[in-house]
Amino acid sequence: MYRARLERDFKHWVDKGLLQENAARAMLAEYDGRESTFRAGRVLLILAALLLSASILLLVAANWEALPRLARVAGIVALVWGFHFAAAWLIRTGRPTLAAAALVLGAAAFGGGIALIGQMYHLSGDAADAALLWFAGAVLSAVAFRSAAMAAVTGGLAWFYFATVLKDDGFSATPDWRMWSVPALAVIVVLLVRFTAADRVRHLAYLLVLSWLAWLYLDNASLAFAGGLAAFGLVAFLAATLPGSPLRALAVDAGSAPAFYSFALALLGFTALQYEAVGVTTEVATGAGTLLAALLGIALAGAQNGAVRYLGYVAFAGELLYLAFETLGSMLGTSGFFLISGLVVAGIAWLVIRIEGHLANARGTEAPQ
C-alpha cells in the first residue's frame, strides 16, 4: 500500500516538474532494495517452509511408535540443529531468504520436538508451559541470527501462548506470574523488532498488549479499571502527539504505531466506561467524553496519521449511533431509529467532507508561498 502510494506521488511530482524522473526511479529502487520491503516471493517461501515443517513433523509422528526411544530424541535434535546449521551456511553464501526459511523450519522442529518428547517421557506441565519454552527457543534463534523472520515467529508464538493461557484459565486469571508474563513477552517481541529491524512485527506485540488489557478488564470489570484504561490511553496519546511533548520526537521516529495504539487504548477505556455507565444521564455523559476523545484524536494526529483519523471517525459515528439508540430508539421505534441514524451518519459525512476540503484548500494556498 505504501509503495503504491509512493509511486503515485512520485509520478504526480514528476508530471508537475517538481522531481526528476531518474531521481524518482532511483528512490523507488532504493526502497525496493530494503530488507524490510514486502516481497511476495519471500512470503511464499516462508509459507512453503511452514508446510514442509508440518509434513516432516506429521511423518515423524506417524512413525513415532516404531522408532526406538534414543532414535526419536536423536532425530528431533538432528532436525533442529540441522536446520540451524543450514541457515548459517545459507547466510554465509549470501542467501538470506532461504536462511530465513531454514530458521522457520528449525523453530517448527523445535516446537514439535517439545510436544513429542514431552509425550514420550510423560513430562509434567501444560500447553502454556510448552508454548513458553517454544517461545524462548525462537527468541534465542532470532538473537543468534538477527533474523526478522524469527522475530515474526516469536510474535506469533507470543499470541499462541496467550491463547493457551486463555484456554486453560478462561477469563479467571489468577494473580500469579502467568498473568504478567503476557506483556513481558510483548516487550521481548518489541526488543527483537528493534534488534532485527522487523518493523511490521511490532503490531503483533501492540495488539497483544491491547488484548491482554481487555482480558484483564473482562476478568476484573470495574469503573475504576475502565477509567484507568481511558486515562492511561489519553495520557500516552497526548505524550505521543501533543506539540512540545518530550516524548513526541521518539513517537514520531517510531512511526504511526505509538499514536494509533495509545488512541485505541483510550477508546477501549471509554468503551468500558460506557459499559459501566448506569442510567441515561451517565450514559450521555460518558458518550460525550467518548466523542470529545475521538475529536481530540482527529485534531492532534488525524492529518499525519490515517489510522488514527479513520479510527476517530468510526468511534465518533459509532458513539453517536449508540447514543441515538439508547436515548431515542426506545421512544421512536425501529423505523424512527434507523431514520435518525441515517440522518446522523449523513451529517457526519457532510461535516467530514467540509473539513477535509477546507484542509486541502488551505494546503493548496500555502504551497506556493
Side-chain angles (χ1 to χ4, degrees), residues 2 28 33-34 46 55 69 75 77 98 108 122-123 142 199 245 258 276 287 327 343 358:
Y2 173 71
L28 280 176
R34 295 179 186 177
I46 297 299
S55 174
R69 180 168 293 189
V77 172
L98 290 174
H122 306 288
L123 299 178
D199 294 337
S245 169
E276 297 290 335
T327 59
L343 293 174
H358 177 72

Side-chain angles (χ1 to χ4, degrees), residues 27-38:
M27 284 187 280
L28 280 176
E30 191 279 331
Y31 175 79
D32 292 336
R34 295 179 186 177
E35 186 65 26
S36 59
T37 302
F38 171 82

Side-chain angles (χ1 to χ4, degrees), residues 125-139:
D126 53 19
D129 295 331
L132 196 59
L133 180 59
W134 194 0
F135 175 85
V139 168

Side-chain angles (χ1 to χ4, degrees), residues 1-10 28 31-32 36-39 200 203 256 305-307 309-310:
M1 183 181 295
Y2 173 71
R3 205 272 186 195
R5 186 169 67 249
L6 192 65
E7 187 174 7
R8 287 196 303 269
D9 289 341
F10 282 170
L28 280 176
Y31 175 79
D32 292 336
S36 59
T37 302
F38 171 82
R39 291 181 183 176
R200 293 183 180 88
H203 298 293
S256 60
N305 193 320
R309 181 170 67 252
Y310 292 123

Side-chain angles (χ1 to χ4, degrees), residues 218-310:
L218 290 174
D219 188 60
N220 305 276
S222 67
L223 182 62
F225 199 160
L229 290 177
F232 183 77
L234 276 178
V235 169
F237 178 72
L238 291 175
T241 59
L242 198 64
S245 169
L247 298 178
R248 188 173 186 272
L250 292 175
V252 171
D253 183 62
S256 60
F260 174 76
Y261 287 106
S262 58
F263 185 53
L265 176 59
L267 292 179
L268 175 65
F270 277 104
T271 302
L273 284 173
Q274 194 80 73
Y275 176 78
E276 297 290 335
V278 178
V280 174
T281 302
T282 308
E283 288 182 350
V284 171
T286 306
T290 306
L291 295 175
L292 289 174
L295 291 175
L296 181 66
I298 295 171
L300 288 179
Q304 299 83 20
N305 193 320
V308 169
R309 181 170 67 252
Y310 292 123

